[in-house]
Amino acid sequence: MDIELSRFRVLPGKMDVVEVWLAFLNENMDAVLQTLEGERMLVETIFHEHLAGADYLYWFSIQVPGGIDVRDSGHWIDAKHLEYWHECIDPSYSHVDLAPKVAMLPARVRTGLESAAGEAGE
């Protein structure tokens, strides 16, 4: 399993669009969850932070290797998600991948994730 936390900067003046984007994802969660299967994504959560006058989005994910990239998806929800991405995420800011140092997963959770990972690979 790959556990990741990545930070991306929002373009100045785009937080209103980001709020629409995140609401769109929440309102279409059934479709979003369908696409996670192909990506072999077990958990994906988006966080927001306003820091020193800039806005950032953080993606936390737990994924099994071998899934398709969101850019290769043919699903309509991923196409719309990427439209928002290109409108809102600052391409001049090199995203930051934070390195996990400790993964505290109780055995029952790890077993559940590994079971889900096996199902995602079928």
Side-chain angles (χ1 to χ4, degrees), residues 24-39 44 70 73-81:
F24 166 78
L25 293 174
N26 277 309
E27 291 163 6
N28 292 282
M29 190 55 64
D30 288 342
V32 169
L33 294 176
Q34 288 173 12
T35 68
L36 296 184
E37 292 296 321
E39 296 172 18
E44 185 172 13
V70 67
S73 169
H75 200 286
W76 68 269
I77 196 91
D78 286 332
K80 187 65 177 171
H81 175 60

Side-chain angles (χ1 to χ4, degrees), residues 41-56:
M41 187 71 66
L42 303 175
V43 175
E44 185 172 13
T45 305
I46 302 170
F47 296 86
H48 168 254
E49 178 181 41
H50 184 82
L51 180 66
D55 289 289
Y56 297 89

